[in-house]
Amino acid sequence: MTRTPGLDAVILDFNGVLGLQPSRSQWLHLARSASWPEDDLAGFQHAFWNARHLYDAGQLSDLAYWARVVGTHPGPRLLRNLLAADTDMWTATDDRVLSVLRRAHATGLPMVLLSNAPAHLSTVLDTHPWRRMMTQTLYSARLEVCKPDPAAYQHALRATGSHDPRRVLFVDDRADNCRAATRLGLRTLHYTGSSDALHEALALAA
């Protein structure tokens, strides 16, 4: 991969870009850990996401979040099991994407991770080998703000060291997050699973 002269840095989402989406079996395992009825996975997912924004933004502790999901305060053992199952869902990575990023990293292109993630998951993600490719990893729980809030992007832009958002590429699997980045002047790639598109965007962006 040839370093793109007009590109100063890239800002990457984790889940849906570097990270693989959870499988149905992982969702079912988490629901079972929460003692949720197995025939109501949709209801569990609704409860899971209903308070996730506050959890991702660092406004709820692990205990407070899971109490909202399951409807009662979980004991220490149950809380550990829920955290373990939840973390397992969000840490698997896409080897194709990592291959593209390794080539980009070898050119010296600064890469910053910007992810909506709670504190516990953030700590675990930072232990993974791909972390060494990142100039910085920024997580919503630590920033206390989630994408698509403009403040999250401003944090990431500062981390890139670039003073011109037009020379920074933002990559995310959510269209609303990409639209917010576009409004701030960043280049964007709405990532839909094509590692070839990511390679092209990093190598050929003009």
XYZ file of all heavy atoms in Angstrom, residues 20-82:
516
model
N -16.142 -7.908 14.648
C -17.254 -8.635 14.043
C -18.530 -8.440 14.856
O -18.484 -8.314 16.083
C -16.924 -10.130 13.978
C -15.738 -10.518 13.095
C -15.397 -11.991 13.310
C -16.043 -10.245 11.630
N -19.663 -8.446 14.173
C -20.943 -8.351 14.861
C -21.210 -9.652 15.628
O -20.806 -10.738 15.194
C -22.069 -8.118 13.848
C -21.970 -6.804 13.106
C -22.363 -5.608 13.951
O -22.641 -5.755 15.146
N -22.386 -4.426 13.359
N -21.859 -9.562 16.774
C -22.155 -10.780 17.558
C -23.030 -11.758 16.781
O -23.888 -11.360 15.985
C -22.903 -10.243 18.778
C -22.554 -8.797 18.851
C -22.348 -8.344 17.447
N -22.799 -13.027 17.025
C -23.627 -14.065 16.412
C -24.901 -14.265 17.235
O -24.993 -13.839 18.389
C -22.851 -15.381 16.355
O -22.602 -15.857 17.666
N -25.864 -14.950 16.637
C -27.100 -15.252 17.362
C -26.801 -16.115 18.589
O -27.400 -15.932 19.649
C -28.087 -15.959 16.434
C -29.386 -16.380 17.125
C -30.362 -17.022 16.160
N -31.526 -17.566 16.862
C -32.573 -16.863 17.250
N -32.613 -15.575 17.001
N -33.588 -17.435 17.875
N -25.874 -17.044 18.450
C -25.553 -17.910 19.581
C -24.959 -17.109 20.731
O -25.205 -17.427 21.912
C -24.598 -19.028 19.155
O -23.357 -18.509 18.724
N -24.195 -16.092 20.438
C -23.647 -15.236 21.496
C -24.748 -14.436 22.179
O -24.743 -14.284 23.408
C -22.583 -14.298 20.917
C -21.276 -14.995 20.569
C -20.303 -14.064 19.899
O -20.636 -13.345 18.948
N -19.072 -14.047 20.393
N -25.685 -13.926 21.391
C -26.821 -13.227 21.988
C -27.619 -14.169 22.897
O -28.031 -13.798 23.996
C -27.740 -12.671 20.895
C -27.340 -11.338 20.353
C -26.849 -11.070 19.106
C -27.403 -10.081 21.035
N -26.606 -9.726 18.978
C -26.938 -9.089 20.134
C -27.809 -9.698 22.311
C -26.877 -7.748 20.485
C -27.750 -8.354 22.659
C -27.286 -7.398 21.753
N -27.840 -15.394 22.433
C -28.604 -16.354 23.229
C -27.863 -16.708 24.517
O -28.491 -16.847 25.581
C -28.875 -17.613 22.406
C -29.934 -17.473 21.313
C -29.938 -18.710 20.418
C -31.320 -17.227 21.917
N -26.550 -16.834 24.423
C -25.769 -17.139 25.628
C -25.894 -16.011 26.647
O -26.064 -16.265 27.853
C -24.306 -17.356 25.250
C -23.406 -17.524 26.436
N -23.513 -18.583 27.313
C -22.388 -16.745 26.907
C -22.604 -18.475 28.266
N -21.910 -17.362 28.049
N -25.833 -14.768 26.173
C -25.975 -13.639 27.090
C -27.371 -13.600 27.694
O -27.532 -13.353 28.902
C -25.670 -12.329 26.355
C -25.751 -11.054 27.196
C -24.755 -11.089 28.358
C -25.491 -9.820 26.324
N -28.388 -13.853 26.873
C -29.765 -13.847 27.376
C -29.962 -14.943 28.430
O -30.603 -14.721 29.458
C -30.743 -14.037 26.219
N -29.379 -16.111 28.180
C -29.484 -17.189 29.164
C -28.770 -16.815 30.458
O -29.242 -17.136 31.553
C -28.889 -18.481 28.594
C -29.681 -19.088 27.455
C -29.138 -20.460 27.069
N -29.664 -20.885 25.779
C -28.960 -20.877 24.655
N -27.695 -20.497 24.663
N -29.511 -21.277 23.531
N -27.609 -16.153 30.327
C -26.876 -15.721 31.514
C -27.722 -14.769 32.358
O -27.606 -14.736 33.587
C -25.573 -15.030 31.111
O -24.721 -15.918 30.408
N -28.580 -14.006 31.680
C -29.458 -13.066 32.373
C -30.762 -13.712 32.817
O -31.657 -13.012 33.319
C -29.756 -11.884 31.452
N -30.887 -15.033 32.612
C -32.116 -15.775 32.937
C -33.324 -15.227 32.198
O -34.446 -15.200 32.722
C -32.371 -15.763 34.458
O -31.299 -16.391 35.139
N -33.101 -14.785 30.968
C -34.184 -14.262 30.134
C -34.855 -15.422 29.408
O -34.176 -16.379 29.020
C -33.610 -13.280 29.116
C -34.629 -12.335 28.558
C -35.466 -12.554 27.496
C -34.930 -11.015 29.033
N -36.261 -11.469 27.277
C -35.957 -10.503 28.211
C -34.430 -10.228 30.066
C -36.483 -9.225 28.378
C -34.956 -8.960 30.250
C -35.969 -8.466 29.424
N -36.166 -15.379 29.220
C -36.853 -16.464 28.492
C -36.240 -16.685 27.111
O -36.067 -15.735 26.346
C -38.302 -15.962 28.386
C -38.458 -15.025 29.540
C -37.120 -14.360 29.704
N -35.908 -17.919 26.788
C -35.200 -18.213 25.548
C -36.025 -17.917 24.301
O -35.470 -17.733 23.215
C -34.744 -19.676 25.539
C -33.652 -19.962 26.561
C -32.972 -21.298 26.315
O -33.121 -21.846 25.201
O -32.303 -21.791 27.231
N -37.348 -17.881 24.439
C -38.193 -17.621 23.278
C -38.462 -16.128 23.088
O -39.306 -15.741 22.278
C -39.521 -18.376 23.391
C -40.322 -17.973 24.635
O -39.769 -17.228 25.477
O -41.476 -18.414 24.761
N -37.741 -15.280 23.835
C -37.960 -13.832 23.738
C -36.623 -13.098 23.567
O -36.324 -12.157 24.295
C -38.692 -13.323 24.984
C -39.086 -11.848 24.861
O -39.270 -11.364 23.724
O -39.170 -11.174 25.915
N -35.847 -13.530 22.586
C -34.563 -12.876 22.349
C -34.754 -11.416 21.948
O -33.981 -10.542 22.370
C -33.786 -13.612 21.257
C -32.397 -13.046 20.926
C -31.491 -13.033 22.157
C -31.753 -13.828 19.784
N -35.797 -11.125 21.160
C -36.050 -9.741 20.742
C -36.320 -8.860 21.962
O -35.855 -7.705 22.020
C -37.219 -9.681 19.771
N -37.046 -9.382 22.931
C -37.314 -8.617 24.143
C -36.044 -8.358 24.927
O -35.848 -7.262 25.469
N -35.173 -9.360 24.985
C -33.897 -9.166 25.668
C -33.056 -8.113 24.962
O -32.464 -7.237 25.614
C -33.123 -10.481 25.739
C -31.737 -10.306 26.305
C -31.549 -10.097 27.666
C -30.621 -10.300 25.470
C -30.278 -9.897 28.184
C -29.349 -10.107 25.982
C -29.173 -9.900 27.344
N -32.992 -8.176 23.638
C -32.196 -7.196 22.889
C -32.745 -5.790 23.074
O -31.980 -4.825 23.157
C -32.148 -7.582 21.414
C -31.306 -8.826 21.159
C -31.389 -9.294 19.722
O -32.451 -9.223 19.087
N -30.284 -9.795 19.195
N -34.052 -5.668 23.162
C -34.643 -4.347 23.422
C -34.189 -3.833 24.785
O -33.799 -2.664 24.916
C -36.166 -4.430 23.372
C -36.845 -3.143 23.727
N -36.926 -2.066 22.861
C -37.452 -2.743 24.884
C -37.552 -1.072 23.453
N -37.887 -1.449 24.685
N -34.244 -4.686 25.800
C -33.813 -4.279 27.140
C -32.316 -3.957 27.141
O -31.872 -3.010 27.800
C -34.117 -5.383 28.150
N -31.546 -4.742 26.405
C -30.096 -4.536 26.317
C -29.774 -3.162 25.744
O -28.932 -2.428 26.280
C -29.505 -5.643 25.433
C -28.017 -5.545 25.228
C -27.145 -6.252 26.041
C -27.480 -4.763 24.210
C -25.768 -6.185 25.854
C -26.105 -4.685 24.012
C -25.250 -5.396 24.845
N -30.433 -2.798 24.639
C -30.105 -1.539 23.959
C -30.776 -0.334 24.599
O -30.305 0.804 24.410
C -30.517 -1.623 22.488
C -29.677 -2.548 21.675
C -30.079 -3.680 21.016
C -28.265 -2.442 21.422
N -29.024 -4.281 20.384
C -27.901 -3.540 20.614
C -27.286 -1.519 21.809
C -26.583 -3.743 20.180
C -25.978 -1.722 21.387
C -25.635 -2.819 20.571
N -31.837 -0.547 25.351
C -32.614 0.576 25.869
C -31.787 1.510 26.742
O -31.978 2.728 26.706
C -33.822 0.056 26.665
C -34.824 1.135 26.967
O -35.172 1.935 26.094
N -35.300 1.180 28.197
N -30.864 0.955 27.527
C -30.025 1.793 28.400
C -28.563 1.798 27.957
O -27.708 2.320 28.676
C -30.125 1.296 29.842
N -28.293 1.239 26.785
C -26.886 1.096 26.375
C -26.215 2.439 26.115
O -25.014 2.598 26.369
C -26.801 0.220 25.129
C -25.385 -0.296 24.825
C -24.936 -1.334 25.838
N -23.617 -1.865 25.518
C -23.086 -2.940 26.070
N -23.775 -3.625 26.979
N -21.887 -3.368 25.736
N -26.952 3.406 25.610
C -26.351 4.714 25.333
C -25.786 5.325 26.616
O -24.657 5.834 26.622
C -27.374 5.660 24.697
C -26.811 7.000 24.352
N -26.153 7.258 23.171
C -26.785 8.166 25.052
C -25.744 8.522 23.144
N -26.129 9.089 24.274
N -26.548 5.261 27.687
C -26.078 5.808 28.962
C -24.874 5.031 29.481
O -23.937 5.599 30.048
C -27.205 5.792 29.991
C -28.388 6.723 29.722
C -29.478 6.493 30.766
C -27.947 8.178 29.729
N -24.896 3.726 29.290
C -23.785 2.859 29.714
C -22.534 3.178 28.892
O -21.439 3.350 29.435
C -24.213 1.415 29.521
C -23.284 0.360 30.071
C -22.608 0.508 31.276
C -23.127 -0.854 29.392
C -21.789 -0.494 31.784
C -22.325 -1.862 29.885
C -21.649 -1.673 31.081
O -20.844 -2.675 31.576
N -22.714 3.276 27.579
C -21.580 3.614 26.710
C -21.008 4.989 27.034
O -19.802 5.216 26.888
C -22.014 3.591 25.243
C -22.153 2.187 24.683
O -21.697 1.232 25.333
O -22.723 2.046 23.575
N -21.862 5.906 27.462
C -21.419 7.267 27.760
C -20.808 7.402 29.148
O -20.478 8.504 29.579
C -22.584 8.242 27.611
N -20.692 6.294 29.871
C -20.082 6.341 31.189
C -20.989 6.874 32.270
O -20.523 7.222 33.361
N -22.295 6.927 32.004
C -23.230 7.484 32.969
C -23.890 6.414 33.846
O -24.627 6.743 34.776
C -24.304 8.298 32.233
C -23.729 9.498 31.497
C -24.781 10.258 30.715
O -25.949 10.327 31.110
N -24.385 10.828 29.594
N -23.639 5.143 33.525
C -24.129 4.045 34.344
C -22.972 3.116 34.672
O -22.151 2.817 33.797
C -25.212 3.244 33.608
C -26.555 3.911 33.332
C -27.442 2.965 32.530
C -27.248 4.321 34.619
N -22.910 2.640 35.899
C -21.932 1.627 36.277
C -22.352 0.286 35.682
O -23.484 0.121 35.198
C -21.848 1.508 37.794
O -23.084 0.995 38.303
N -21.459 -0.695 35.742
C -21.820 -2.041 35.295
C -23.060 -2.537 36.036
O -23.996 -3.070 35.428
C -20.662 -3.013 35.558
C -19.410 -2.678 34.768
O -19.532 -2.099 33.668
O -18.307 -2.995 35.264
N -23.067 -2.346 37.361
C -24.194 -2.821 38.163
C -25.484 -2.111 37.795
O -26.533 -2.751 37.620
C -23.885 -2.618 39.647
C -24.982 -3.050 40.630
C -25.244 -4.545 40.512
C -24.583 -2.692 42.064
N -25.426 -0.794 37.647
C -26.640 -0.033 37.328
C -27.180 -0.396 35.952
O -28.400 -0.506 35.753
C -26.346 1.461 37.403
N -26.275 -0.598 34.996
C -26.726 -0.959 33.649
C -27.425 -2.314 33.656
O -28.552 -2.453 33.147
C -25.556 -0.983 32.668
C -25.925 -1.600 31.339
C -26.771 -0.935 30.459
C -25.466 -2.871 30.986
C -27.146 -1.512 29.247
C -25.832 -3.452 29.781
C -26.662 -2.759 28.917
O -27.037 -3.337 27.721
N -26.772 -3.319 34.231
C -27.357 -4.652 34.186
C -28.604 -4.756 35.050
O -29.509 -5.558 34.759
C -26.314 -5.701 34.555
C -25.386 -5.934 33.403
C -24.092 -5.534 33.278
C -25.740 -6.554 32.164
N -23.596 -5.879 32.050
C -24.587 -6.512 31.339
C -26.896 -7.156 31.673
C -24.574 -7.033 30.052
C -26.887 -7.685 30.381
C -25.738 -7.626 29.593
N -28.709 -3.939 36.079
C -29.946 -3.901 36.861
C -31.108 -3.415 35.989
O -32.236 -3.911 36.107
C -29.778 -2.994 38.079
N -30.824 -2.463 35.106
C -31.875 -1.987 34.197
C -32.249 -3.063 33.184
O -33.422 -3.193 32.822
C -31.406 -0.720 33.474
C -31.280 0.492 34.370
C -31.190 1.760 33.555
N -31.019 2.944 34.395
C -31.255 4.190 33.986
N -31.643 4.416 32.737
N -31.074 5.206 34.787
N -31.261 -3.795 32.720
C -31.538 -4.826 31.710
C -32.371 -5.961 32.302
O -33.399 -6.360 31.729
C -30.224 -5.378 31.118
C -30.517 -6.554 30.164
C -29.460 -4.289 30.371
N -31.947 -6.490 33.447
C -32.607 -7.681 33.998
C -33.732 -7.347 34.969
O -34.491 -8.229 35.370
C -31.586 -8.616 34.685
C -30.495 -9.027 33.707
C -30.963 -7.970 35.919
N -33.844 -6.073 35.361
C -34.950 -5.655 36.211
C -34.703 -5.783 37.695
O -35.603 -5.501 38.493
N -33.514 -6.211 38.085
C -33.147 -6.311 39.492
C -31.639 -6.264 39.605
O -30.936 -6.550 38.635
C -33.674 -7.628 40.113
O -33.401 -7.640 41.513
C -33.021 -8.835 39.465
N -31.117 -5.896 40.769
C -29.671 -5.831 40.938
C -29.075 -7.236 40.927
O -29.424 -8.064 41.784
C -29.322 -5.123 42.251
C -29.340 -3.644 42.132
N -28.635 -2.817 42.966
C -29.956 -2.826 41.244
C -28.837 -1.549 42.619
N -29.640 -1.544 41.580
N -28.186 -7.530 39.980
C -27.553 -8.856 39.974
C -26.522 -8.967 41.096
O -25.869 -7.984 41.454
C -26.868 -8.898 38.598
C -26.605 -7.468 38.269
C -27.737 -6.685 38.863
N -26.385 -10.150 41.637
C -25.344 -10.377 42.639
C -23.970 -10.382 41.981
O -23.858 -10.386 40.744
N -22.909 -10.411 42.789
C -21.543 -10.340 42.247
C -21.235 -11.428 41.218
O -20.622 -11.156 40.189
C -20.668 -10.487 43.494
C -21.522 -10.000 44.619
C -22.915 -10.414 44.265
N -21.655 -12.674 41.500
C -21.349 -13.764 40.567
C -22.084 -13.577 39.252
O -21.487 -13.738 38.166
C -21.722 -15.102 41.195
C -21.404 -16.282 40.291
C -21.730 -17.605 40.981
N -21.450 -18.737 40.111
C -21.653 -19.994 40.454
N -22.141 -20.277 41.675
N -21.387 -20.973 39.628
N -23.363 -13.232 39.313
C -24.129 -13.016 38.089
C -23.566 -11.840 37.306
O -23.447 -11.895 36.075
C -25.608 -12.782 38.413
C -26.511 -12.451 37.207
C -26.417 -13.534 36.142
C -27.952 -12.244 37.668
N -23.194 -10.788 37.997
C -22.636 -9.632 37.313
C -21.347 -10.004 36.571
O -21.146 -9.597 35.420
C -22.357 -8.498 38.309
C -21.799 -7.193 37.710
C -22.757 -6.618 36.672
C -21.531 -6.173 38.810
N -20.499 -10.796 37.194
C -19.268 -11.247 36.523
C -19.603 -12.052 35.267
O -18.967 -11.881 34.217
C -18.411 -12.081 37.475
C -17.690 -11.281 38.544
C -16.612 -12.117 39.218
N -17.153 -13.309 39.867
C -17.587 -13.332 41.130
N -17.546 -12.237 41.878
N -18.055 -14.463 41.654
N -20.604 -12.917 35.362
C -20.989 -13.742 34.217
C -21.552 -12.893 33.083
O -21.270 -13.138 31.899
C -22.015 -14.796 34.634
C -21.428 -15.867 35.530
O -20.211 -16.051 35.571
N -22.275 -16.575 36.258
N -22.357 -11.902 33.445
C -22.931 -11.012 32.431
C -21.836 -10.190 31.741
O -21.840 -10.039 30.509
C -23.970 -10.086 33.068
C -25.257 -10.746 33.539
C -26.073 -9.783 34.394
C -26.087 -11.236 32.346
